Amino acid sequence: MVGEIDVSVRKAIVSVAVLGIVAYGGVVGYLTHFDRETAPTLDTHSPTLADPVASAAFAAIREARCDYCHARNVDLPFYFHVPVANQLMQRDLDQGLRHFRVEPVIEAFQTGAVPSEEQLARIEEVVRQNRMPPTLYLLMHWHAHLSQAQRDALLNWVAAERRAHYATPGVAARFAGEPVQPVPESVSVDAAKVALGQRLFFDKQLSGDGTLNCASCHALDHGGVDGRVTALGINGQHGPINVPTVYDAVFNKSQFWNGRAATLADQAAGPVMNPLEMGSHDWTLVADKVKQDPSYVSAFHDAFGSDDIDKDRMTTAIAEYEKTLITPDSRFDRYLKGDEQALNAQEKNGYALFKSVGCSGCHTGVSLGGQAFEVMGLEGDYFAARGGAVTDADRGRYTVSGSPDDMERFKVPNLRNIALTAPYFHDGSVKTLEDAVRLMARYQTPDHTLSDHDVADIVAFLRTLTGTYQGQPLAGTEAP
């Protein structure tokens, strides 16, 4: 009797297991069909169809269904709507949207547009680190596992896009597909506007009490910053945020930590009127002061073909001058242009770590930053660890957009000449490059910690980013 019961129990267990396997297989089969039926598509006129490299990359993104967690308004699988499972999946969806938005990339495939450097860098980062799609997702979506061929297709497409659209003059062929490019030797400018803008940049008449100029915070002999935790403005008032460097700012997609200025001219207009910075109150009054000097009137006529002096012309001229504040010919630039001896073994390893850890996923392009916005504390609560009150300055891009998605999201800072621009971060809370690297690894990358040896190598690489200005090594005090 006992033996018969044991056999019955075993049969029941086997039957349940078989049913479970069949049900699991059925669900996986259903999801495979659903995933492919509802995936993003290309219409017959998409330029991507005529490009085998781009087509292969799009096919990989489509098969993995990156849009499930990295896009809004997507028709999600049924389990996203099941109680309990929904709560678990919602967290993954929220985190996916916080980390990366894939909609612009899919649109670029559909229209033939060029993805941004940041979008290319983020895709390259997760593919090289083999972090996407996540393991739990693959348990239900077997087909979404990316083969080596699919990963290679994505990396080949990223490199091809960089070579075609972002490689800068003089870069060695083997580095043309890299996430970082050499600073150009020059940019196109209007000489008369540059001369006028340079004069205005150093003119204290633009401040409310005649004591400050643009260079007061953006000292060209101090890495383009003031070396303070936060800016010091008119009447000794302290501003709420650390001063970004003016060097290489022309390569930023927007200006200020929260990106509230779309152009250099917009940025130039801000501090002059800010009551905590230069403290003027009316651009007409500033223009009236400038008009008192006949040589200024002549300079404006040379630059703009008119004697009129107003806010737009002044900020346009300052912006034109700031375009010339570029710092080419760093040792790293020479390396990217083919000089193998420009970096030593430690510095080369530092650059390799910079990429493999994930730093280049955000710090990309000519200026190693300035191309996008990123959450401060992507992989951990930076502000809780820092302590102190969370200020309006800590809210980042949210203060401009009002979108909850932008809370504590900041423009990725430019790393060119980073050894000269301490203290670091938007709050100026970090004094050394070593600590900055450690904290970035902890709060912005999934690896969280780096060995002292790795930190030293990355810092050695960062020190190679100090360039030249007007043919001379850039001046400033290196961070300890």
Side-chain angles (χ1 to χ4, degrees):
M1 177 67 74
V2 173
E4 292 177 359
I5 294 175
D6 287 344
V7 171
S8 298
V9 170
R10 284 197 297 270
K11 287 182 177 179
I13 292 173
V14 170
S15 296
V16 170
V18 169
L19 287 173
I21 292 170
V22 170
Y24 175 53
V27 171
V28 169
Y30 166 78
L31 288 173
T32 299
H33 175 77
F34 179 87
D35 291 349
R36 289 172 174 164
E37 283 294 306
T38 60
T41 59
L42 301 175
D43 66 36
T44 56
H45 301 293
S46 172
T48 296
L49 294 175
D51 182 347
V53 174
S55 292
F58 176 76
I61 289 176
R62 184 180 188 276
E63 189 70 10
R65 289 307 305 264
C66 303
D67 57 311
Y68 275 156
C69 288
H70 297 282
R72 291 197 185 278
N73 303 317
V74 175
D75 189 9
L76 297 170
F78 72 89
Y79 58 76
F80 273 87
H81 309 289
V82 175
V84 180
N86 170 265
Q87 294 175 340
L88 295 174
M89 295 301 103
Q90 188 62 48
R91 180 186 179 281
D92 290 342
L93 178 57
D94 291 342
Q95 286 299 309
L97 293 171
R98 180 178 169 89
H99 279 68
F100 183 63
R101 298 295 293 268
V102 78
E103 297 101 323
V105 178
I106 292 173
E107 183 179 358
F109 280 119
Q110 292 169 333
T111 64
V114 181
S116 73
E117 289 178 280
E118 181 264 349
Q119 290 158 2
L120 294 172
R122 293 301 300 275
I123 292 171
E124 179 183 53
E125 174 195 352
V126 297
V127 170
R128 290 198 183 281
Q129 293 181 348
N130 199 20
R131 287 198 285 117
M132 291 289 150
T135 302
L136 186 61
Y137 173 78
L138 292 174
L139 288 175
M140 302 300 292
H141 303 263
W142 295 356
H143 70 92
H145 174 79
L146 293 177
S147 67
Q148 188 58 52
Q150 288 172 311
R151 293 182 182 280
D152 288 343
L154 285 165
L155 294 175
N156 290 339
W157 167 70
V158 167
E161 290 294 298
R162 286 174 176 157
R163 290 190 183 98
H165 304 290
Y166 296 115
T168 55
V171 66
R174 70 180 186 277
F175 292 132
E178 286 287 293
V180 183
Q181 293 293 307
V183 175
E185 295 292 332
S186 63
V187 295
S188 178
V189 292
D190 182 302
K193 289 185 176 69
V194 168
L196 173 59
Q198 180 175 13
R199 185 173 173 185
L200 290 166
F201 188 88
F202 291 97
D203 193 339
K204 294 181 178 180
Q205 290 185 93
L206 272 64
S207 66
D209 62 359
T211 63
L212 301 173
N213 55 25
C214 301
S216 298
C217 285
H218 298 288
L220 301 191
D221 60 352
H222 203 292
V225 299
D226 60 359
R228 300 178 183 276
V229 172
T230 61
L232 184 66
I234 193 170
N235 300 320
Q237 298 179 97
H238 287 276
I241 205 162
N242 185 257
V243 173
T245 181
V246 71
Y247 281 119
D248 301 303
V250 63
F251 303 118
N252 294 338
K253 283 196 169 182
S254 60
Q255 308 298 328
F256 295 119
W257 283 99
N258 60 11
R260 64 185 181 275
T263 67
L264 284 173
D266 291 340
Q267 186 278 328
V272 176
M273 292 294 119
N274 191 310
L276 295 180
E277 297 185 49
M278 294 173 70
S280 289
H281 302 289
D282 188 313
W283 273 104
T284 301
L285 296 178
V286 174
D288 287 342
K289 287 191 287 185
V290 171
K291 289 175 183 177
Q292 302 307 308
D293 187 333
S295 65
Y296 255 135
V297 175
S298 177
F300 272 89
H301 187 277
D302 291 343
F304 295 99
S306 169
D307 294 346
D308 290 341
I309 299 176
D310 57 19
K311 168 192 170 183
D312 288 344
R313 288 182 173 83
M314 283 188 278
T315 56
T316 296
I318 293 172
E320 197 74 2
Y321 168 62
E322 290 181 344
K323 289 180 184 177
T324 70
L325 301 179
I326 60 176
T327 60
D329 202 33
S330 67
R331 287 199 293 120
F332 183 61
D333 284 345
R334 295 200 293 274
Y335 173 69
L336 291 179
K337 291 183 176 182
D339 182 358
E340 192 67 30
Q341 305 306 312
L343 303 188
N344 62 32
Q346 181 188 28
E347 293 158 348
K348 290 176 184 176
N349 188 57
Y351 178 48
L353 287 168
F354 183 83
K355 292 186 289 183
S356 65
V357 168
C359 309
S360 62
C362 293
H363 293 285
T364 188
V366 166
S367 56
L368 291 89
Q371 307 307 303
F373 298 92
E374 191 53 271
V375 172
M376 185 62 171
L378 196 61
E379 304 291 345
D381 195 335
Y382 166 80
F383 292 100
R386 181 197 68 180
V390 175
T391 67
D392 280 345
D394 291 330
R395 301 181 191 280
R397 183 73 176 158
Y398 174 81
T399 61
V400 177
S401 71
S403 169
D405 290 340
D406 287 332
M407 182 61 73
E408 299 173 356
R409 193 180 293 272
F410 298 86
K411 185 186 72 178
V412 176
N414 166 8
L415 296 187
R416 289 287 179 176
N417 313 299
I418 192 68
L420 307 180
T421 60
Y424 304 110
F425 300 176
H426 76 282
D427 53 14
S429 62
V430 179
K431 294 181 180 180
T432 70
L433 270 177
E434 287 78 6
D435 284 346
V437 169
R438 287 190 183 93
L439 287 171
M440 282 289 99
R442 167 64 185 87
Y443 292 105
Q444 303 302 122
T445 76
D447 290 335
H448 295 318
T449 59
L450 295 172
S451 69
D452 289 345
H453 183 274
D454 287 348
V455 169
D457 285 3
I458 292 174
V459 168
F461 157 66
L462 293 175
R463 293 187 187 280
T464 72
L465 300 176
T466 302
T468 64
Y469 174 58
Q470 296 183 335
Q472 299 298 316
L474 199 66
T477 303
E478 288 217 354

